[in-house]
Amino acid sequence: MNTITLLLLFPFFTQFLEVGPARTKLPGKTRFPISQISVMGFVYCDFCSNSSFSRHSYFLPGAEVKVDCMSKALSEKTSEQISLSVNRTTNKYGMYKLEIPSVDGVKCAEDSAVVSSCQASLIGSSSSACNVPGYKTTFNVIAIKARRANLCIYSFNALTFRPSKRDITLCGN
């Protein structure tokens, strides 16, 4: 899926993100709101096997995705490394999402505070008609950071499955 399509769809899907209020500062202590880190992406059926979201493509609900993340947190209070490896199932919109647990004192929205790397990989398709892996692993993310809310959203490029045979009548040669 190209970046323009993703940016056009992004506002629609961010309505599913729950953002709570930031913690208030305690008198006499420097305290940052707890980080809220979300990792998300989409899986779709690349129906015409052309590595793009065409008019015949559709998002895949029930697809299985493995998400691996590693974060090194550096702050006044901690110097920790967090590694997560989880499986997620896409919702009815073909979206998977991971909420990374908060670490007190970490400022995810500060570029130097959190060094993160994540990748998502296809595990399996929910559709027997579209179950051949296409774009099966992604490292590329679009990062959106909001300092005031201490919110970080990492959005992956879309992962794809393809049908085993290309439909020439719908997709052409």
Side-chain angles (χ1 to χ4, degrees), residues 139-150:
F139 296 94
N140 300 331
V141 297
I142 297 172
I144 298 169
K145 298 181 178 189
R147 286 185 183 192
R148 184 171 184 166
N150 205 16

Side-chain angles (χ1 to χ4, degrees), residues 8-172:
L8 291 174
L9 292 173
F10 188 73
F12 173 72
F13 292 106
T14 55
Q15 68 181 334
F16 301 107
L17 297 175
E18 296 178 11
V19 178
R23 286 190 181 177
T24 56
K25 284 186 173 184
L26 296 175
K29 291 188 178 183
T30 304
R31 184 160 176 98
F32 301 99
I34 289 184
S35 299
Q36 298 174 10
I37 303 172
S38 295
V39 178
M40 60 183 277
F42 298 94
V43 179
Y44 71 91
C45 177
D46 181 5
F47 190 80
C48 292
S49 301
N50 59 2
S51 300
S52 68
F53 195 89
S54 67
R55 65 181 174 168
H56 302 293
S57 298
Y58 54 92
F59 290 103
L60 276 173
E64 294 290 322
V65 177
K66 180 179 180 184
V67 180
D68 295 305
C69 290
M70 194 227 14
S71 296
K72 291 181 182 178
L74 303 172
S75 72
E76 299 168 2
K77 295 183 178 184
T78 95
S79 178
E80 298 177 354
Q81 181 170 317
I82 303 165
S83 295
L84 295 170
S85 182
V86 297
N87 294 349
R88 289 290 182 252
T89 303
T90 57
N91 65 14
K92 65 182 178 178
Y93 303 107
M95 181 177 82
Y96 59 91
K97 184 172 128 182
L98 168 65
E99 296 292 334
I100 296 178
S102 301
V103 177
D104 195 18
V106 174
K107 303 173 283 182
C108 79
E110 301 285 333
D111 289 336
S112 61
V114 178
V115 179
S116 298
S117 65
C118 291
Q119 82 173 39
S121 305
L122 292 176
I123 296 173
S125 175
S126 58
S127 169
S128 59
C130 191
N131 60 2
V132 176
Y135 190 56
K136 54 187 172 184
T137 302
T138 182
F139 296 94
N140 300 331
V141 297
I142 297 172
I144 298 169
K145 298 181 178 189
R147 286 185 183 192
R148 184 171 184 166
N150 205 16
L151 169 68
C152 296
I153 302 169
Y154 298 97
S155 180
F156 285 116
N157 288 334
L159 299 170
T160 64
F161 283 100
R162 297 175 175 173
S164 58
K165 292 184 180 179
R166 191 168 187 252
D167 187 335
I168 297 171
T169 57
L170 289 177
C171 302

